[in-house]
Amino acid sequence: MSELAHLRLMAGYNAWMNQKLYAAAATLPAHELAAERGAFFGSLLGTLNHLVAGDTIWLRRFATHPARFAALEPVLALAPPSALDAVHSADLAVLAAHRRMLDAVIGTWTAQLADADLEHVLHYASTKGIASQKRFGDLLLHFFNHQTHHRGQASTLLSQAGADLGVTDLLMLIENVEERTAPPGTA
């Protein structure tokens, strides 16, 4: 699988998992969503808000790529999060709608990427002001890995609250392939 195909698979997985995550979260009462559970960002709602903040920060950084991806323009119109724990919304429905918008942007954007785009060295500063310069393709791997990491935490928080997220394996999105055999006499 090419690097671009892998990134597009991860974008699809990201959207699929976020849909499942928000659907499971919607089965819980508001007090369960906001309950302090000792996670990195406190509650399930805090974790979901962190993912929105983190994705927005990264997508805004990715928009500085010389290719000036048109698909990222909606994210540039958003106010940048003030911190990694910034609360976009305490209302799950509002947060879910924003999440769907971000996932649509991510899907459209990854479909527009070209191999050459991945080789660009992106210069950016972290939220703590630390300057970095890293290969764009590697930053996209981090972007998707970060989402998976925190969705794993959210899955645990959902389980603690009694909600079942169901199957979460990437394997569910990997297509079956038929084994190819060499034509007779060519082996």
Side-chain angles (χ1 to χ4, degrees):
M1 175 182 291
S2 73
E3 186 175 11
L4 281 175
H6 181 97
L7 293 169
R8 290 172 183 144
L9 174 64
M10 293 309 296
Y13 176 70
N14 174 64
W16 178 67
M17 279 303 305
N18 283 331
Q19 179 184 7
K20 289 173 63 75
L21 189 66
Y22 278 83
T27 67
L28 298 174
H31 73 275
E32 288 289 346
L33 294 171
E36 171 59 49
R37 298 191 185 274
F40 287 178
F41 295 91
S43 66
L44 177 58
L45 200 55
T47 302
L48 297 177
N49 271 288
H50 166 68
L51 280 166
V52 163
D55 286 2
T56 303
I57 289 166
W58 275 109
L59 291 168
R60 289 176 63 83
R61 288 176 185 154
F62 296 154
T64 67
H65 188 289
R68 299 287 183 226
F69 305 105
L72 295 179
E73 287 179 17
V75 178
L76 289 175
L78 302 173
S82 58
L84 292 173
D85 61 354
V87 175
H88 176 78
S89 180
D91 181 306
L92 184 65
V94 171
L95 193 60
H98 189 72
R99 176 77 261 169
R100 285 189 300 274
M101 182 276 296
L102 287 176
D103 289 344
V105 166
I106 292 165
T108 301
W109 168 58
T110 56
Q112 295 173 349
L113 289 170
D115 287 318
D117 295 329
L118 304 179
E119 298 306 321
H120 174 73
V121 175
L122 187 72
H123 295 256
Y124 67 94
S126 72
T127 57
K128 295 180 181 178
I130 300 169
S132 294
Q133 53 281 332
K134 299 186 186 293
R135 181 180 170 274
F136 199 71
D138 295 335
L139 290 173
L140 270 69
L141 291 175
H142 165 74
F143 176 70
F144 289 118
N145 186 64
H146 176 261
Q147 293 169 10
T148 300
H149 166 70
H150 286 294
R151 275 195 308 266
Q153 292 173 338
S155 174
T156 298
L157 299 175
L158 282 165
S159 180
Q160 289 173 353
D164 181 14
L165 187 56
V167 176
T168 62
D169 293 329
L170 174 63
L171 183 62
M172 299 307 293
L173 297 185
I174 297 173
E175 294 181 21
N176 284 323
V177 293
E178 300 220 9
E179 191 172 337
R180 296 184 183 143
T181 57
T186 61

Short mmCIF file of all heavy atoms in Angstrom, two decimals, residues 136-180:
data_model
loop_
_atom_site.label_atom_id
_atom_site.label_comp_id
_atom_site.label_asym_id
_atom_site.label_seq_id
_atom_site.Cartn_x
_atom_site.Cartn_y
_atom_site.Cartn_z
N PHE A 136 6.40 16.42 6.07
CA PHE A 136 4.95 16.53 6.07
C PHE A 136 4.27 15.17 6.20
O PHE A 136 3.34 15.01 6.99
CB PHE A 136 4.52 17.24 4.77
CG PHE A 136 3.15 17.83 4.82
CD1 PHE A 136 2.88 18.96 5.57
CD2 PHE A 136 2.12 17.28 4.07
CE1 PHE A 136 1.61 19.52 5.60
CE2 PHE A 136 0.85 17.84 4.08
CZ PHE A 136 0.59 18.96 4.85
N GLY A 137 4.70 14.19 5.44
CA GLY A 137 4.09 12.87 5.51
C GLY A 137 4.18 12.27 6.90
O GLY A 137 3.25 11.61 7.38
N ASP A 138 5.31 12.49 7.58
CA ASP A 138 5.47 11.97 8.94
C ASP A 138 4.55 12.69 9.92
O ASP A 138 4.04 12.09 10.86
CB ASP A 138 6.93 12.09 9.39
CG ASP A 138 7.86 11.22 8.56
OD1 ASP A 138 7.40 10.20 7.98
OD2 ASP A 138 9.06 11.55 8.47
N LEU A 139 4.33 13.98 9.70
CA LEU A 139 3.41 14.73 10.55
C LEU A 139 1.98 14.23 10.38
O LEU A 139 1.21 14.19 11.35
CB LEU A 139 3.49 16.23 10.25
CG LEU A 139 4.79 16.91 10.67
CD1 LEU A 139 4.83 18.34 10.16
CD2 LEU A 139 4.97 16.85 12.17
N LEU A 140 1.62 13.82 9.18
CA LEU A 140 0.29 13.26 8.98
C LEU A 140 0.13 11.94 9.72
O LEU A 140 -0.94 11.65 10.27
CB LEU A 140 -0.01 13.09 7.48
CG LEU A 140 -0.66 14.30 6.85
CD1 LEU A 140 0.28 15.47 6.75
CD2 LEU A 140 -1.22 13.95 5.50
N LEU A 141 1.19 11.14 9.76
CA LEU A 141 1.14 9.90 10.55
C LEU A 141 0.89 10.23 12.02
O LEU A 141 0.08 9.58 12.68
CB LEU A 141 2.43 9.10 10.40
CG LEU A 141 2.68 8.47 9.04
CD1 LEU A 141 4.06 7.82 9.01
CD2 LEU A 141 1.61 7.47 8.69
N HIS A 142 1.59 11.25 12.52
CA HIS A 142 1.38 11.67 13.91
C HIS A 142 -0.06 12.14 14.11
O HIS A 142 -0.70 11.79 15.11
CB HIS A 142 2.35 12.78 14.30
CG HIS A 142 1.91 13.47 15.56
ND1 HIS A 142 2.03 12.89 16.79
CD2 HIS A 142 1.29 14.67 15.75
CE1 HIS A 142 1.51 13.71 17.71
NE2 HIS A 142 1.07 14.78 17.10
N PHE A 143 -0.56 12.92 13.18
CA PHE A 143 -1.92 13.46 13.25
C PHE A 143 -2.93 12.34 13.45
O PHE A 143 -3.77 12.39 14.36
CB PHE A 143 -2.17 14.22 11.94
CG PHE A 143 -3.55 14.78 11.75
CD1 PHE A 143 -4.00 15.84 12.51
CD2 PHE A 143 -4.38 14.27 10.76
CE1 PHE A 143 -5.27 16.38 12.31
CE2 PHE A 143 -5.64 14.80 10.55
CZ PHE A 143 -6.08 15.86 11.32
N PHE A 144 -2.85 11.29 12.63
CA PHE A 144 -3.80 10.20 12.75
C PHE A 144 -3.53 9.34 13.98
O PHE A 144 -4.46 8.85 14.62
CB PHE A 144 -3.83 9.36 11.48
CG PHE A 144 -4.49 10.07 10.33
CD1 PHE A 144 -3.78 10.36 9.18
CD2 PHE A 144 -5.82 10.46 10.40
CE1 PHE A 144 -4.39 11.03 8.11
CE2 PHE A 144 -6.44 11.13 9.35
CZ PHE A 144 -5.71 11.42 8.21
N ASN A 145 -2.27 9.14 14.32
CA ASN A 145 -1.94 8.37 15.52
C ASN A 145 -2.45 9.07 16.78
O ASN A 145 -2.95 8.42 17.70
CB ASN A 145 -0.43 8.14 15.60
CG ASN A 145 -0.06 7.22 16.72
OD1 ASN A 145 -0.44 6.05 16.73
ND2 ASN A 145 0.67 7.74 17.70
N HIS A 146 -2.33 10.38 16.82
CA HIS A 146 -2.81 11.16 17.97
C HIS A 146 -4.31 10.95 18.16
O HIS A 146 -4.80 10.76 19.27
CB HIS A 146 -2.48 12.64 17.77
CG HIS A 146 -3.01 13.52 18.85
ND1 HIS A 146 -4.18 14.25 18.70
CD2 HIS A 146 -2.55 13.80 20.09
CE1 HIS A 146 -4.41 14.92 19.81
NE2 HIS A 146 -3.44 14.66 20.68
N GLN A 147 -5.05 10.98 17.07
CA GLN A 147 -6.50 10.77 17.15
C GLN A 147 -6.81 9.37 17.69
O GLN A 147 -7.67 9.21 18.56
CB GLN A 147 -7.12 10.95 15.76
CG GLN A 147 -7.03 12.36 15.25
CD GLN A 147 -7.41 12.46 13.79
OE1 GLN A 147 -7.91 11.52 13.19
NE2 GLN A 147 -7.17 13.61 13.20
N THR A 148 -6.09 8.37 17.17
CA THR A 148 -6.32 7.00 17.62
C THR A 148 -6.01 6.86 19.10
O THR A 148 -6.75 6.20 19.84
CB THR A 148 -5.48 6.02 16.78
OG1 THR A 148 -5.87 6.14 15.41
CG2 THR A 148 -5.67 4.59 17.23
N HIS A 149 -4.94 7.47 19.54
CA HIS A 149 -4.53 7.42 20.95
C HIS A 149 -5.65 7.94 21.86
O HIS A 149 -6.06 7.26 22.80
CB HIS A 149 -3.26 8.26 21.13
CG HIS A 149 -2.92 8.57 22.53
ND1 HIS A 149 -2.49 7.62 23.43
CD2 HIS A 149 -2.95 9.74 23.21
CE1 HIS A 149 -2.27 8.20 24.61
NE2 HIS A 149 -2.55 9.48 24.50
N HIS A 150 -6.15 9.12 21.56
CA HIS A 150 -7.18 9.70 22.43
C HIS A 150 -8.55 9.05 22.25
O HIS A 150 -9.33 9.00 23.19
CB HIS A 150 -7.25 11.22 22.25
CG HIS A 150 -6.09 11.91 22.88
ND1 HIS A 150 -5.89 11.93 24.25
CD2 HIS A 150 -5.05 12.58 22.35
CE1 HIS A 150 -4.79 12.60 24.53
NE2 HIS A 150 -4.26 13.00 23.38
N ARG A 151 -8.83 8.52 21.06
CA ARG A 151 -10.08 7.77 20.91
C ARG A 151 -10.03 6.48 21.74
O ARG A 151 -11.05 6.02 22.24
CB ARG A 151 -10.38 7.47 19.45
CG ARG A 151 -11.10 8.60 18.75
CD ARG A 151 -11.70 8.16 17.43
NE ARG A 151 -10.73 7.51 16.59
CZ ARG A 151 -10.01 8.12 15.65
NH1 ARG A 151 -10.16 9.41 15.44
NH2 ARG A 151 -9.15 7.45 14.93
N GLY A 152 -8.84 5.91 21.90
CA GLY A 152 -8.70 4.76 22.78
C GLY A 152 -9.05 5.13 24.21
O GLY A 152 -9.73 4.36 24.92
N GLN A 153 -8.61 6.31 24.64
CA GLN A 153 -8.98 6.78 25.98
C GLN A 153 -10.49 7.00 26.06
O GLN A 153 -11.13 6.63 27.04
CB GLN A 153 -8.25 8.08 26.30
CG GLN A 153 -6.76 7.90 26.45
CD GLN A 153 -6.04 9.23 26.59
OE1 GLN A 153 -6.55 10.27 26.19
NE2 GLN A 153 -4.85 9.18 27.16
N ALA A 154 -11.05 7.60 25.02
CA ALA A 154 -12.50 7.86 25.01
C ALA A 154 -13.27 6.55 25.05
O ALA A 154 -14.32 6.46 25.71
CB ALA A 154 -12.88 8.68 23.77
N SER A 155 -12.76 5.54 24.39
CA SER A 155 -13.41 4.22 24.42
C SER A 155 -13.46 3.68 25.85
O SER A 155 -14.48 3.15 26.28
CB SER A 155 -12.63 3.26 23.51
OG SER A 155 -13.13 1.95 23.62
N THR A 156 -12.37 3.85 26.58
CA THR A 156 -12.34 3.41 27.99
C THR A 156 -13.33 4.22 28.81
O THR A 156 -14.05 3.67 29.65
CB THR A 156 -10.92 3.54 28.55
OG1 THR A 156 -10.06 2.68 27.81
CG2 THR A 156 -10.86 3.18 30.02
N LEU A 157 -13.38 5.52 28.59
CA LEU A 157 -14.30 6.37 29.34
C LEU A 157 -15.75 5.99 29.05
O LEU A 157 -16.60 5.98 29.96
CB LEU A 157 -14.05 7.85 29.01
CG LEU A 157 -12.65 8.37 29.36
CD1 LEU A 157 -12.49 9.81 28.88
CD2 LEU A 157 -12.37 8.24 30.84
N LEU A 158 -16.04 5.68 27.80
CA LEU A 158 -17.39 5.22 27.45
C LEU A 158 -17.72 3.92 28.17
O LEU A 158 -18.81 3.78 28.72
CB LEU A 158 -17.51 5.02 25.93
CG LEU A 158 -17.68 6.27 25.10
CD1 LEU A 158 -17.42 5.98 23.63
CD2 LEU A 158 -19.07 6.86 25.29
N SER A 159 -16.77 3.01 28.19
CA SER A 159 -16.98 1.74 28.87
C SER A 159 -17.22 1.95 30.36
O SER A 159 -18.11 1.33 30.95
CB SER A 159 -15.76 0.84 28.64
OG SER A 159 -15.93 -0.40 29.29
N GLN A 160 -16.46 2.85 30.97
CA GLN A 160 -16.65 3.15 32.39
C GLN A 160 -18.05 3.69 32.67
O GLN A 160 -18.61 3.47 33.74
CB GLN A 160 -15.61 4.17 32.87
CG GLN A 160 -14.21 3.64 32.96
CD GLN A 160 -13.20 4.73 33.27
OE1 GLN A 160 -13.51 5.93 33.30
NE2 GLN A 160 -11.95 4.33 33.50
N ALA A 161 -18.60 4.41 31.68
CA ALA A 161 -19.93 4.99 31.85
C ALA A 161 -21.05 4.04 31.42
O ALA A 161 -22.22 4.38 31.49
CB ALA A 161 -20.02 6.29 31.04
N GLY A 162 -20.67 2.84 30.95
CA GLY A 162 -21.67 1.85 30.58
C GLY A 162 -22.09 1.87 29.13
O GLY A 162 -23.07 1.21 28.76
N ALA A 163 -21.38 2.59 28.28
CA ALA A 163 -21.72 2.64 26.85
C ALA A 163 -20.78 1.72 26.08
O ALA A 163 -19.59 1.65 26.37
CB ALA A 163 -21.61 4.07 26.31
N ASP A 164 -21.32 1.03 25.09
CA ASP A 164 -20.54 0.10 24.28
C ASP A 164 -20.24 0.74 22.93
O ASP A 164 -21.16 1.06 22.17
CB ASP A 164 -21.31 -1.21 24.10
CG ASP A 164 -20.54 -2.24 23.29
OD1 ASP A 164 -19.32 -2.08 23.09
OD2 ASP A 164 -21.17 -3.22 22.86
N LEU A 165 -18.97 0.87 22.61
CA LEU A 165 -18.54 1.46 21.34
C LEU A 165 -18.57 0.43 20.22
O LEU A 165 -18.64 0.78 19.05
CB LEU A 165 -17.14 2.05 21.51
CG LEU A 165 -16.55 2.84 20.38
CD1 LEU A 165 -17.46 3.99 19.97
CD2 LEU A 165 -15.18 3.38 20.77
N GLY A 166 -18.52 -0.84 20.55
CA GLY A 166 -18.50 -1.88 19.53
C GLY A 166 -17.11 -2.08 18.98
O GLY A 166 -16.11 -1.66 19.57
N VAL A 167 -17.03 -2.69 17.83
CA VAL A 167 -15.75 -3.01 17.19
C VAL A 167 -15.06 -1.72 16.76
O VAL A 167 -15.69 -0.85 16.16
CB VAL A 167 -15.97 -3.94 15.98
CG1 VAL A 167 -14.66 -4.21 15.26
CG2 VAL A 167 -16.62 -5.24 16.42
N THR A 168 -13.78 -1.63 17.07
CA THR A 168 -13.02 -0.41 16.74
C THR A 168 -11.80 -0.70 15.88
O THR A 168 -11.04 0.22 15.59
CB THR A 168 -12.55 0.29 18.02
OG1 THR A 168 -11.68 -0.58 18.74
CG2 THR A 168 -13.73 0.69 18.90
N ASP A 169 -11.61 -1.92 15.47
CA ASP A 169 -10.40 -2.29 14.74
C ASP A 169 -10.35 -1.71 13.33
O ASP A 169 -11.33 -1.80 12.58
CB ASP A 169 -10.28 -3.81 14.64
CG ASP A 169 -10.05 -4.47 15.98
OD1 ASP A 169 -9.42 -3.83 16.85
OD2 ASP A 169 -10.50 -5.61 16.16
N LEU A 170 -9.20 -1.18 12.98
CA LEU A 170 -8.94 -0.72 11.62
C LEU A 170 -9.20 -1.85 10.63
O LEU A 170 -9.62 -1.62 9.49
CB LEU A 170 -7.50 -0.22 11.51
CG LEU A 170 -6.98 0.18 10.14
CD1 LEU A 170 -7.77 1.35 9.58
CD2 LEU A 170 -5.50 0.51 10.20
N LEU A 171 -8.98 -3.07 11.07
CA LEU A 171 -9.18 -4.24 10.24
C LEU A 171 -10.55 -4.24 9.55
O LEU A 171 -10.70 -4.75 8.44
CB LEU A 171 -9.02 -5.50 11.11
CG LEU A 171 -9.12 -6.85 10.42
CD1 LEU A 171 -8.02 -7.00 9.38
CD2 LEU A 171 -9.05 -7.95 11.45
N MET A 172 -11.53 -3.63 10.21
CA MET A 172 -12.89 -3.60 9.65
C MET A 172 -12.95 -2.80 8.35
O MET A 172 -13.88 -2.99 7.55
CB MET A 172 -13.87 -3.02 10.67
CG MET A 172 -13.96 -3.82 11.96
SD MET A 172 -14.29 -5.58 11.73
CE MET A 172 -15.94 -5.52 11.06
N LEU A 173 -11.99 -1.92 8.12
CA LEU A 173 -11.99 -1.10 6.90
C LEU A 173 -11.01 -1.59 5.85
O LEU A 173 -10.96 -1.03 4.75
CB LEU A 173 -11.68 0.36 7.25
CG LEU A 173 -12.68 1.06 8.16
CD1 LEU A 173 -12.32 2.52 8.32
CD2 LEU A 173 -14.10 0.92 7.64
N ILE A 174 -10.22 -2.59 6.19
CA ILE A 174 -9.26 -3.12 5.22
C ILE A 174 -9.97 -4.16 4.37
O ILE A 174 -10.54 -5.13 4.90
CB ILE A 174 -8.03 -3.73 5.95
CG1 ILE A 174 -7.30 -2.63 6.73
CG2 ILE A 174 -7.10 -4.40 4.94
CD1 ILE A 174 -6.18 -3.15 7.61
N GLU A 175 -9.95 -3.94 3.08
CA GLU A 175 -10.68 -4.81 2.16
C GLU A 175 -10.02 -6.17 2.05
O GLU A 175 -8.79 -6.30 2.10
CB GLU A 175 -10.72 -4.18 0.76
CG GLU A 175 -11.53 -2.90 0.71
CD GLU A 175 -11.59 -2.31 -0.69
OE1 GLU A 175 -11.35 -3.06 -1.67
OE2 GLU A 175 -11.88 -1.11 -0.80
N ASN A 176 -10.88 -7.19 1.89
CA ASN A 176 -10.37 -8.52 1.57
C ASN A 176 -9.85 -8.50 0.15
O ASN A 176 -10.42 -7.81 -0.72
CB ASN A 176 -11.48 -9.56 1.68
CG ASN A 176 -11.80 -9.91 3.12
OD1 ASN A 176 -10.91 -9.97 3.96
ND2 ASN A 176 -13.07 -10.13 3.40
N VAL A 177 -8.80 -9.22 -0.10
CA VAL A 177 -8.27 -9.32 -1.46
C VAL A 177 -8.21 -10.80 -1.83
O VAL A 177 -7.97 -11.65 -0.98
CB VAL A 177 -6.88 -8.67 -1.61
CG1 VAL A 177 -6.96 -7.18 -1.43
CG2 VAL A 177 -5.87 -9.25 -0.62
N GLU A 178 -8.44 -11.05 -3.07
CA GLU A 178 -8.35 -12.41 -3.54
C GLU A 178 -6.89 -12.73 -3.80
O GLU A 178 -6.15 -11.91 -4.33
CB GLU A 178 -9.17 -12.55 -4.83
CG GLU A 178 -10.62 -12.20 -4.59
CD GLU A 178 -11.54 -13.14 -5.34
OE1 GLU A 178 -11.07 -14.14 -5.89
OE2 GLU A 178 -12.74 -12.83 -5.33
N GLU A 179 -6.52 -13.94 -3.39
CA GLU A 179 -5.15 -14.38 -3.61
C GLU A 179 -4.94 -14.56 -5.11
O GLU A 179 -5.75 -15.16 -5.82
CB GLU A 179 -4.91 -15.69 -2.88
CG GLU A 179 -3.45 -16.06 -2.86
CD GLU A 179 -3.19 -17.25 -1.96
OE1 GLU A 179 -4.01 -17.51 -1.06
OE2 GLU A 179 -2.18 -17.90 -2.16
N ARG A 180 -3.87 -14.01 -5.57
CA ARG A 180 -3.55 -14.12 -7.01
C ARG A 180 -2.60 -15.29 -7.22
O ARG A 180 -1.62 -15.44 -6.51
CB ARG A 180 -2.91 -12.83 -7.51
CG ARG A 180 -3.85 -11.65 -7.41
CD ARG A 180 -3.23 -10.42 -8.00
NE ARG A 180 -4.15 -9.32 -7.81
CZ ARG A 180 -3.78 -8.09 -7.53
NH1 ARG A 180 -2.52 -7.78 -7.40
NH2 ARG A 180 -4.69 -7.14 -7.37
#
